[in-house]
Amino acid sequence: NAGVMQNPRHLVRRRGQEARLRCSPMKGHSHVYWYRQLPEEGLKFMVYLQKENIIDESGMPKERFSAEFPKEGPSILRIQQVVRGDSAAYFCASSPPNRGDYEQYFGPGTRLTVT
Amino acid sequence: GENVEQHPSTLSVQEGDSAVIKCTYSDSASNYFPWYKQELGKRPQLIIDIRSNVGEKKDQRIAVTLNKTAKHFSLHITETQPEDSAVYFCAARDNYGQNFVFGPGTRLSVLP
């Protein structure tokens, strides 16, 4: 059973470009969470999605950021017109449907560098 | 919404000593409390968790205790080893929204 997959692992973008980060949850998991982590800091919640639904996006900046989790395919975190302050590690995590199993597992992260 | 605090922010112990990290949460509806270990440049890894119907759980050198009345839970690491050095995060899962709220982390250094 493969774990949570994220790609790319490293992404370099110039200011103003778009960044697309992908997350494939563990098999059988239908809940996906995205977090941002700056160096030497904690995990900042961004968005929580289930298939085709955004459940909680209270941590997402109002502009330039969007997320989706389509019926088929990976979850995508999209950052438009990136700025230097977007440079961070972005972690995706997944957890099973809410049937009493709550464990949340993290992917390896995508390290975004904006030049 | 839920708020999770974590103390201390940094902790240094001698190899072989015990380490204790404490977290408090605000929402009495939270029912699941995991602990994650994150080594430098790596992903957070789930090391132990506890549910609200249990007061204590142990896995080899690691144990977690939960006090629902006081709304706090703690991670205990015994016989610490240099490879235990990492940042540890606690979290609480909101039973209503099913979201996870993380503490700010504790940087543990185990000195040989």
Side-chain angles (χ1 to χ4, degrees), chain A residues 38-57:
Chain A
L38 295 170
E40 303 294 318
E41 294 194 8
L43 295 158
K44 184 177 184 300
F45 167 75
M46 298 183 74
V47 62
Y48 162 36
L49 311 102
Q50 295 178 18
K51 285 282 187 182
E52 300 184 281
N53 281 310
I54 296 175
I55 307 301
D56 182 350
E57 57 181 346

Side-chain angles (χ1 to χ4, degrees), chain A residues 37 40 56 100 104 106 111, chain B residues 36 38 41 43 51 107:
Chain A
Q37 187 175 41
E40 303 294 318
D56 182 350
Q104 182 188 64
F106 282 81
R111 278 150 186 82
Chain B
Y36 290 85
Q38 187 178 28
R43 75 183 81 186
R51 301 190 183 193
R107 181 173 299 278

Side-chain angles (χ1 to χ4, degrees), chain A residues 4 31 33 35 37 40-43 45 48 50 55-56 91 98 100-108 111, chain B residues 31-32 36 38 40-46 49 51 89 93 95 97-105 107:
Chain A
V4 180
H31 298 198
Y33 308 78
Y35 298 88
Q37 187 175 41
E40 303 294 318
E41 294 194 8
L43 295 158
F45 167 75
Y48 162 36
Q50 295 178 18
I55 307 301
D56 182 350
F91 288 97
N98 185 23
D101 293 325
Y102 305 140
E103 290 84 0
Q104 182 188 64
Y105 295 97
F106 282 81
R111 278 150 186 82
Chain B
N31 64 347
Y32 173 68
Y36 290 85
Q38 187 178 28
L40 189 63
K42 302 276 184 72
R43 75 183 81 186
Q45 288 199 303
L46 179 66
D49 56 16
R51 301 190 183 193
F89 294 98
R93 183 181 180 273
N95 189 43
Q98 303 173 31
N99 203 349
F100 290 79
V101 179
F102 281 80
R107 181 173 299 278

Side-chain angles (χ1 to χ4, degrees), chain A residues 55-79:
Chain A
I55 307 301
D56 182 350
E57 57 181 346
S58 58
M60 288 273 273
K62 293 287 186 279
E63 297 177 350
R64 302 189 298 108
F65 286 72
S66 63
E68 63 176 4
F69 189 15
K71 187 176 180 181
E72 301 291 337
S75 175
I76 306 283
L77 179 68
R78 183 181 177 204
I79 312 172

